[in-house]
Amino acid sequence: MTTSTTFLGLGAMGSALAAAALDAGRPAVVWNRTPGRAGFLGRRGATIAETVEEAIAGDGVILVCLLDHQSVRAVIDPVAASLAKRTLVNLTTTTPNQARGLAAWATEHNITYLDGAIMAVPRMIGRPGAAILYSGPEAAFEENRELLDLWGRSEYFGADPGMASLRDMAMLVGMYTMFAGFLHGAAMVGSEGVSATEFARQQVPFLTAMTGQLAGLAAVVDAGDYAGAGQQSLEFTETALDSLVTASLDQGVNVEVLRPVHDLVRRQLAAGYGRQGTARIFEELRKAR
Ligand SMILES: NC(=O)c1ccc[n+]([C@@H]2O[C@H](COP(=O)([O-])OP(=O)(O)OC[C@H]3O[C@@H](n4cnc5c(N)ncnc54)[C@H](OP(=O)(O)O)[C@@H]3O)[C@@H](O)[C@H]2O)c1
């Protein structure tokens, strides 16, 4: 018989993970801080635990999906001794250093710790398009593939427990800055009465086409060859951004999203790199370290 998986946290995501396991015929024990969120999982066959202690009483994998790092510590610290020799998979969003801290805590308590980062929204879990990134002990990843693969494509990023989170957060930077850029554009056309919905219809295919530029930028960055032929120069980009800032201000639109990009480019120009490629912004960004 398959060992029960324990699910700690039944928010939107934790519930989706537990539901996918149950739908695949795997037994599950579920717990949530606020009682009453497990009803539909109970009807699908889950065992509902009243306490964390009760939830972790078995010997299967313990899957944690809570709000944040602090809530994870609040739930697992008090039961650390009971988790010895168990495997904990944490799919809560944490920073890389929080993941490393949890891994160190787990080692102290003789717990096997696999960190994960979910690249999906709850309704995508168990469907094509969902991916979950993992890092930590490779053996723990491989031994639990059957379970992990129920939720989406499982991708492993090495023994450093912070790597899944680092990849996740780097991806989310791209997403959030894109969202902010879209909303800025929507505010610009909105100042003349164009709806955001209409603008989105125009923006989506353009941004989709522009993602085709990323591989070229990446190749320049990896080669460190910002003087190579065929690149859009920082000078050209500065002129474009200057117009975008002016046009935004003329329409009464806040430039707090755009200004930092313009400033990055201007600093590169001031340092004498105007003829080099725009991918050189990368050098300005990584300098913060
Ligand atoms: N939803 C998404 O689209 C998505 C996508 C990728 C990753 N994630 C990540 O998945 C994790 C869970 O997200 P979610 O969407 O399920 O969030 P959610 O619906 O807000 O659920 C949060 C869960 O955390 C619990 N919780 C919060 N503080 C707690 C504490 N101090 N002690 C014990 N339990 C606590 C809540 O319990 P109560 O019911 O008692 O409040 C609830 O079970 C987050 O780290 C999120 O970043 C979510």
Side-chain angles (χ1 to χ4, degrees):
M1 200 183 110
T2 315
T3 320
S4 283
T5 305
T6 293
F7 291 85
L8 301 179
L10 303 175
M13 188 55 88
S15 295
L17 297 166
L22 289 163
D23 288 351
R26 296 182 69 102
V29 181
V30 298
W31 171 87
N32 194 61
R33 175 184 61 177
T34 306
R37 295 190 79 168
F40 87 100
L41 295 170
R43 288 190 290 280
R44 283 156 105 145
T47 302
I48 301 171
E50 302 287 325
T51 63
V52 177
E53 290 80 359
E54 196 185 316
I56 62 168
D59 60 359
V61 168
I62 297 157
L63 191 289
V64 183
C65 190
L66 296 162
L67 182 65
D68 57 9
H69 178 72
Q70 284 70 27
S71 50
V72 173
R73 294 304 300 256
V75 169
I76 62 176
D77 269 345
V79 294
S82 311
L83 295 172
K85 299 189 185 156
R86 303 287 294 280
T87 296
L88 200 68
V89 179
N90 183 23
L91 297 188
T92 307
T93 303
T94 59
T95 68
N97 281 343
Q98 287 170 339
R100 291 175 184 126
L102 271 168
W105 170 91
T107 302
E108 270 171 41
H109 293 92
N110 195 22
I111 301 162
T112 299
Y113 180 79
L114 189 63
D115 197 80
I118 304 172
M119 309 301 305
V121 295
R123 69 172 180 281
M124 290 165 67
I125 294 300
R127 295 173 191 276
I132 306 191
L133 320 181
Y134 294 95
S135 54
E138 188 166 9
F141 174 71
E142 290 301 343
E143 279 160 21
N144 293 291
R145 280 301 288 275
E146 205 181 312
L147 173 67
L148 308 183
D149 289 350
L150 291 177
W151 298 318
R153 196 175 66 253
S154 309
E155 296 183 47
Y156 178 70
F157 288 97
D160 173 353
M163 282 312 289
S165 166
L166 182 63
R167 295 274 186 151
D168 175 39
M169 301 221 143
M171 303 268 277
L172 294 178
V173 167
M175 183 187 81
Y176 280 112
T177 50
M178 180 187 70
F179 286 169
F182 163 71
L183 293 169
H184 177 127
M188 288 178 76
V189 294
S191 69
E192 300 295 348
V194 178
S195 75
T197 303
E198 184 193 331
F199 182 59
R201 277 197 291 269
Q202 191 184 1
Q203 177 85 99
V204 169
F206 179 71
L207 285 182
T208 304
M210 286 303 102
T211 60
Q213 305 273 328
L214 297 183
L217 288 176
V220 167
V221 166
D222 288 344
D225 180 19
Y226 303 108
Q231 301 183 42
Q232 177 170 315
S233 73
L234 282 154
E235 265 170 7
F236 183 97
T237 302
E238 198 282 327
T239 305
L241 287 170
D242 192 56
S243 297
L244 299 185
V245 168
T246 303
S248 300
L249 292 172
D250 287 349
Q251 296 299 137
V253 169
N254 183 325
V255 291
E256 278 175 277
V257 167
L258 195 54
R259 183 80 81 195
V261 185
H262 194 203
D263 288 346
L264 280 168
V265 171
R266 287 200 294 199
R267 281 204 297 277
Q268 288 283 296
L269 251 59
Y273 297 114
R275 295 281 170 88
Q276 296 199 9
T278 299
R280 205 178 193 292
I281 292 173
F282 177 79
E283 299 299 327
E284 191 76 29
L285 292 170
R286 72 168 170 177
K287 243 169 38 176
R289 189 174 182 139

